[in-house]
Amino acid sequence: YHDPNCKDNRVAMVHLFEWKWNDIAAECERFLAPMGYCGVQVSPPNEHVIVDGYPWWQRYQPVSYKLESRSGNRQEFINMVERCNNVGIRIYVDAIINHMSGTGRSGKGSGGSDFDADEMHFPAVPYTIADFNGCGGCPACCCINSWTDVAQVRNCRLLGLTDLNQALPGVRQKIAGFLNDLIDIGVAGFRIDAGKHMWPADLKAISELTNDLNTKWFPAGRKAFFFYEVIDLAQVGEVRAQEYTGIGKVTEFRYCIKIDDVAGGLWGIHGLYDPGWGMVESTDAFVFVDNHDNQRGHGGGGNVVTYKNPRKYKVAQAVTLGYTYGHPRVMSSYEFTTDGQGPPANGDGSTKDVVINADGSCGNGWVCEHRWQAIAGMASFRKAVANANTIDNQRTEGNKVAFSRGGRGFVAISNEGSWSGTFQTGMPSGRYCNVIRGCPNSNGGCNGAEPVTVNSDGTASVSIADWDNPIFAIHVEAKA
Ligand code: QV4
Ligand code: CA
């Protein structure tokens, strides 16, 4: 349950937030596979409520487990999983299993199913009132008021969302049935939404009901990857991330705060992983610079760097993908100005296609951080150094840092203007491309810059001069 099931040495995951299945399938083939990404976290694929104005968060209110959502239908989902797996890119599903829709909502979901949340009537699963937690032990609102009352956090309603009782065998079976449908289609794992709001023992029982992965793409006997969304900012008395490390990896939200600090002051890189603050160990940590919640002030927002600050964002991603702590996910956003704003939409409310401009950037309001050369280049770097779990030749000078990764890659980052000189890269001699500028091309050179020569003693002449891209990175899989 801890293994992301990546193909070969691929590592980096990208969250293609609110993308449609057909666009994701194309992106796997045309970009993610060649750039060395491992997989995609997709938006919740199941039927959801439809809210006026189509905010993104309507998809966090399930109506059923039918694969009919704003991103596409079941057949489109199946096609995406097949096309992505066929080029070695894994699909991870954002699974909403803590709750169904919020109270006060009823009617038809995105797949046409009837529901009535106040009655806890979700006939397309089916769930009835008996499948939900009652309000015993909860405040009068039945909601979560005290975040240090662990039973309340797990048994009462998060944001008024009708709370399933995962202790019941029937509920466990239905959730596992949903996960197994996805596993049989070929997904590689799950982000378990609102993990904090479910008991680890119940989650363990549910994961033990899941099938092995589809042997069309995975070795026999492999289990799905589980990573749990648990926001632990070390508040005394609250749920701890460590309660979940026995059943999968866990989101490390303290990392978002740390990396924002470190990207502003690179001298702090030694403290990126801070066990004294209660951060989980590297092998248990699922890390990201920002996520779909905290980039817009939801779920532990504040003190995070996003696409709106591109230079700092690239530095933060370069450290995240270049360093060794945790399993990394890259956020891929759409432009927004208000927190509830949904994805780019057509007049009828349907999601706009992702269009790719001639220069490789995205149009139609899609930001596509994962395509920024500095970030995509670092995704390829992470693949090249995947089996080199050491940091060597680290050199920290003021607000600048350089290090190599076990002879497989070398990175230098400057946060205070140009930085040039001779560096020990620890790499075999040869001609390499600075992947922050561009990849090797078919003429034996590099796109975007001249090749870099590493001498037989491992030294190279390195120069960082571009204020907006203050990073230099070479690795053994990008030779000129
Ligand atoms: C409103 C009132 C409530 C009232 C309720 C009554 O605010 O006080 O009880 O009506 O019905 C939306 C609205 C919210 C509304 C709720 C229910 O924003 O105002 O409640 O719907 O109708 C996303 C959004 C939420 C959104 C939710 C459901 O962030 O704003 O709520 O989807 O549509 C904690 C948790 C953590 C969680 C984080 C947001 O520990 O687990 O809060 N993060 C995950 C997801 C997140 C998602 C959910 C959980 C819920 O990452 O995106 O919330 O699935 O930190
Ligand atoms: Ca719960």
Side-chain angles (χ1 to χ4, degrees):
Y1 304 120
H2 286 77
D3 184 342
N5 297 303
C6 293
K7 183 90 192 285
D8 304 326
N9 296 321
R10 296 169 180 276
V11 179
M13 184 185 297
V14 53
H15 181 193
L16 295 180
F17 180 50
E18 285 284 359
W19 281 42
K20 293 188 287 187
W21 309 147
N22 293 341
D23 286 330
I24 294 176
E27 191 71 353
C28 286
E29 295 166 347
R30 71 190 165 202
F31 192 82
L32 301 177
M35 288 309 301
Y37 281 95
C38 159
V40 182
Q41 178 186 316
V42 302
S43 281
N46 56 288
E47 180 171 21
H48 53 83
V49 300
I50 298 172
V51 176
D52 279 352
Y54 313 108
W56 61 273
W57 48 258
Q58 64 182 5
R59 297 181 70 173
Y60 289 85
Q61 301 199 25
V63 166
S64 81
Y65 299 136
K66 283 199 239 167
L67 304 183
E68 301 284 340
S69 70
R70 188 170 187 178
S71 289
N73 63 30
R74 182 180 181 87
Q75 196 51 53
E76 289 165 333
F77 184 85
I78 291 172
N79 289 342
M80 167 188 73
V81 172
E82 291 192 338
R83 284 172 64 187
C84 291
N85 273 327
N86 285 344
V87 293
I89 299 294
R90 306 313 190 198
I91 298 294
Y92 304 92
V93 163
D94 194 351
I96 320 301
I97 61 173
N98 172 63
H99 52 263
M100 297 300 281
S101 88
T103 52
R105 298 190 188 278
S106 62
K108 289 198 188 300
S110 56
S113 305
D114 290 317
F115 73 103
D116 186 338
D118 288 345
E119 303 293 322
M120 281 168 255
H121 179 64
F122 295 93
V125 177
Y127 283 133
T128 67
I129 194 164
D131 296 312
F132 291 84
N133 283 314
C135 295
C138 299
C141 57
C142 195
C143 60
I144 301 167
N145 271 346
S146 165
W147 288 72
T148 51
D149 178 340
V150 168
Q152 188 178 122
V153 166
R154 281 157 174 166
N155 298 340
C156 306
R157 293 179 191 154
L158 167 65
L159 295 159
L161 300 159
T162 51
D163 203 55
L164 287 163
N165 181 356
Q166 292 85 9
L168 299 174
V171 171
R172 290 178 180 180
Q173 288 291 348
K174 281 170 187 164
I175 292 172
F178 168 49
L179 303 183
N180 283 336
D181 182 30
L182 296 161
I183 286 171
D184 294 350
I185 288 171
V187 311
F190 304 98
R191 168 194 184 265
I192 301 294
D193 181 74
K196 182 193 254 183
H197 304 278
M198 294 176 279
W199 297 95
D202 292 339
L203 293 169
K204 180 166 189 280
I206 290 167
S207 63
E208 285 168 353
L209 293 173
T210 58
N211 296 343
D212 292 351
L213 297 184
N214 188 322
T215 54
K216 182 164 176 199
W217 297 288
F218 302 93
R222 290 290 278 270
K223 300 307 283 188
F225 174 45
F226 282 85
F227 62 105
Y228 295 91
E229 187 230 8
V230 178
I231 303 181
D232 176 357
L233 296 176
Q235 302 299 316
V236 174
E238 289 198 18
V239 168
R240 291 279 80 91
Q242 280 78 3
E243 295 173 43
Y244 295 81
T245 53
I247 52 177
K249 292 193 201 284
V250 61
T251 54
E252 183 45 273
F253 279 82
R254 281 160 290 201
Y255 185 82
C256 302
I257 297 168
K258 280 281 182 180
I259 192 65
D260 179 60
D261 267 0
V262 168
L266 289 167
W267 54 82
I269 197 164
H270 301 276
L272 195 56
Y273 164 45
D274 186 352
W277 197 20
M279 290 174 75
V280 301
E281 285 175 28
S282 180
T283 48
D284 296 322
F286 187 88
V287 300
F288 39 92
V289 174
D290 60 331
N291 81 346
H292 73 282
D293 277 334
N294 65 21
Q295 71 168 193
R296 47 177 50 71
H298 289 228
N303 296 322
V304 299
V305 57
T306 72
Y307 78 88
K308 297 187 184 206
N309 189 349
R311 179 180 180 281
K312 188 177 183 187
Y313 197 67
K314 287 180 244 181
V315 169
Q317 291 288 7
V319 172
T320 302
L321 293 165
Y323 226 58
T324 48
Y325 181 69
H327 188 75
R329 177 183 61 198
V330 171
M331 178 72 206
S332 190
S333 319
Y334 54 83
E335 288 160 17
F336 66 91
T337 49
T338 59
D339 72 338
Q341 187 183 329
N346 302 305
D348 64 356
S350 61
T351 302
K352 279 192 180 169
D353 293 344
V354 175
V355 296
I356 308 299
N357 301 320
D359 66 358
S361 65
C362 296
N364 264 353
W366 300 95
V367 180
C368 289
E369 293 92 315
H370 70 286
R371 277 180 168 257
W372 296 3
Q373 181 59 43
I375 297 175
M378 287 308 296
S380 75
F381 179 95
R382 185 56 168 256
K383 171 173 180 281
V385 303
N387 291 326
N389 265 321
T390 54
I391 303 279
D392 322 289
N393 305 310
Q394 184 160 326
R395 179 167 154 186
T396 321
E397 287 174 21
N399 205 348
K400 307 191 285 283
V401 67
F403 55 88
S404 53
R405 292 287 304 273
R408 308 243 342 140
F410 168 82
V411 191
I413 312 173
S414 168
N415 241 344
E416 49 183 40
S418 54
W419 195 18
S420 51
T422 302
F423 286 73
Q424 176 53 252
T425 67
M427 293 183 51
S429 63
R431 278 158 41 94
Y432 298 92
C433 295
N434 175 2
V435 293
I436 304 303
R437 313 294 308 188
C439 304
N441 61 33
S442 49
N443 307 324
C446 306
N447 293 326
E450 290 301 310
V452 177
T453 302
V454 172
N455 305 309
S456 53
D457 63 356
T459 59
S461 160
V462 168
S463 167
I464 296 175
D466 176 358
W467 176 252
D468 292 319
N469 290 285
I471 310 157
F472 172 97
I474 53 176
H475 64 74
V476 293
E477 293 181 357
K479 288 193 169 160

